[in-house]
Amino acid sequence: MMTAVFSADPATGCRPGAFGNATHLICRACGAHSPLGPFYACMECFGPLEVGYAFPTITHAEIEAGPKSIWRYAPLLPVPADISTFRSTDPGFTRLVDARQLADDIGLRQLWVKDDTGNPTHSFKDRVVAVALSAARELGLQVLACPSTGNLANAVAAAAARAGIKSVVLVPENLEKQKILASAVYDTTLIAVHGSYDDVNKLASEIAAEEEGWAFVNVNVRPYYAEGSKTLAFEIAEQLGWRLPDQVVIPVASGSQLTKIDKGFAELIKLGLVEEKPYKIYGAQATGCSPVAHAYREGWDIVQPVKPNTIAKSLAIGNPADGPYVLDVVRRTGGAIADIDDDTVVANIQRLARTEGIFAETAGGVTVGVTAKLVADGLLDPDQETVLINSGDGLKTLDAVADRVGPKTTIPPRYEAFTEFWKARG
Ligand SMILES: Cc1ncc(COP(=O)(O)O)c(C=O)c1O
Ligand SMILES: [Zn+2]
Ligand SMILES: [Zn+2]
């Protein structure tokens, strides 16, 4: 059995065990190692860094005895062993729904919906923010911040409130009203920026370079933040009885979530926590912002930035940081990436609601609609067990369905009026 190796780099000044079984940062472009610290770009080639580990033996029993949150997977994350004693939103442990009626509707044999609307701020972003918050604390950073397409802002504002630290969230001014309010309510410093998400992201990078003590969760502590999405993979495997599904469909904005679900599956195999088997990873985008789907279809290794124009605002990143890595994962596993237009997005929000009683935000409509499209195009095998990620809550994007659904009638409060309507309805 290997023993856990703790960050011993005096340069970072971190307490022993600050990052659990994580041992170093590794460049995804050139493979060079960096010490654990507030680093996010390779010192050799400026490539993006990700977390590397020396895992001890980890058993199902150990994990199952842990808390009913992402912290049951603490040995697989860059967090200290005592992480659950700190104040966080304790996200995760969301339901895996056996979606039989949606499966029938799409023509799939077995479909599961990983329903991440059950998180504290109703999106998968609570997972990544909880891990970023831990890194920020261990690195001695005092302000939690982010550029966001909406859900991340909600998660950062709530997590900072819970931890009792300051937060600053930057969002494009044209975001959905519900998402703006669901950040502002936590009394965060919410800043609306004239411009697109890509403009906001660039501004955040400039601030991060200048201000000391700030943890921009998806910029300068991005390697730690991104690890939080592995918990989606861990939960899916555990909920399936410690085995991997055949196919997973994942919404893509920056592409971080998709690449980390793949990393999570690979780690489970490596640790012997699931049996090794092939699995296919699929990406979902809205046509109005589909740079990765476009690159996939063209056979490109790089992603050409676009100007987003879609109602799926949470996925409206025109210059996705992890785009090339999404292409790698999808091609390596034999999956695909597809996109659907906004009308189809709305129709698929309704489809999921009607068939499974789950109200997804626009990103969920994208994922459901792309799943159906992939089946229709013969790219997704209808006989293989499939999981789709529902990453966000429909209550935050109400305008998407506002023109499509509503009362079937309005009547005076009299029984005859009701029966008249009921009979006419047939
Ligand atoms: C609801 C929802 N789903 C999916 C994503 C995509 O995440 P990523 O940037 O990791 O690709 C986002 C990102 O903002 C989101 O808000
Ligand atoms: Zn490098
Ligand atoms: Zn909700």
Side-chain angles (χ1 to χ4, degrees), residues 156-341:
V156 163
R162 176 115 184 101
I165 62 169
K166 284 202 184 69
S167 67
V168 178
V169 301
L170 302 153
V171 295
E173 63 179 332
N174 76 345
L175 271 197
E176 298 93 345
K177 183 92 183 277
Q178 290 88 4
K179 282 192 185 141
I180 299 262
L181 295 179
S183 291
V185 74
Y186 300 107
D187 203 22
T188 180
T189 303
L190 170 69
I191 301 173
V193 179
H194 301 301
S196 68
Y197 172 79
D198 299 286
D199 298 323
V200 178
N201 189 36
K202 192 162 160 286
L203 172 61
S205 299
E206 285 165 20
I207 300 171
E210 294 298 325
E211 300 296 325
E212 277 197 22
W214 287 44
F216 273 94
V217 298
N218 50 342
V219 182
N220 59 327
V221 290
R222 189 175 180 86
Y224 306 96
Y225 155 97
E227 291 292 293
S229 283
K230 292 191 312 191
T231 61
L232 277 162
F234 300 155
E235 285 179 19
I236 290 167
E238 183 176 355
Q239 287 167 317
L240 289 175
W242 291 113
R243 59 183 185 80
L244 301 185
D246 300 317
Q247 309 176 128
V248 188
V249 189
I250 305 164
V252 171
S254 75
S256 177
Q257 181 189 159
L258 184 145
T259 60
K260 296 308 170 186
I261 287 177
D262 173 59
K263 191 182 184 201
F265 285 162
E267 286 177 354
L268 293 178
I269 291 172
K270 199 171 147 211
L271 285 162
L273 287 166
V274 298
E275 212 167 281
E276 177 157 17
K277 72 181 275 294
Y279 58 83
K280 294 182 179 176
I281 303 267
Y282 294 84
Q285 296 205 294
T287 304
C289 182
S290 52
V292 192
H294 185 213
Y296 171 78
R297 274 193 300 271
E298 297 289 339
W300 299 337
D301 295 333
I302 50 137
V303 173
Q304 214 166 67
V306 299
K307 263 213 170 337
N309 179 19
T310 169
I311 57 164
K313 294 187 171 143
S314 60
L315 302 183
I317 297 183
N319 188 12
D322 294 299
Y325 301 101
V326 168
L327 293 168
D328 279 353
V329 168
V330 165
R331 288 181 179 136
R332 172 167 46 76
T333 62
I337 313 172
D339 57 271
I340 52 167
D341 66 30

Side-chain angles (χ1 to χ4, degrees), residues 77-121:
L77 297 170
V79 298
D82 58 353
I83 182 68
S84 52
T85 65
F86 291 95
R87 281 171 68 91
S88 87
T89 62
D90 300 316
F93 219 68
T94 59
R95 60 197 183 133
L96 185 69
V97 179
D98 185 351
R100 264 176 240 174
Q101 295 183 141
L102 179 61
D104 282 349
D105 204 45
I106 294 179
L108 283 164
R109 193 176 53 75
Q110 173 76 69
L111 176 64
W112 303 91
V113 174
K114 180 59 175 167
D115 186 16
D116 246 18
T117 64
N119 276 312
T121 71

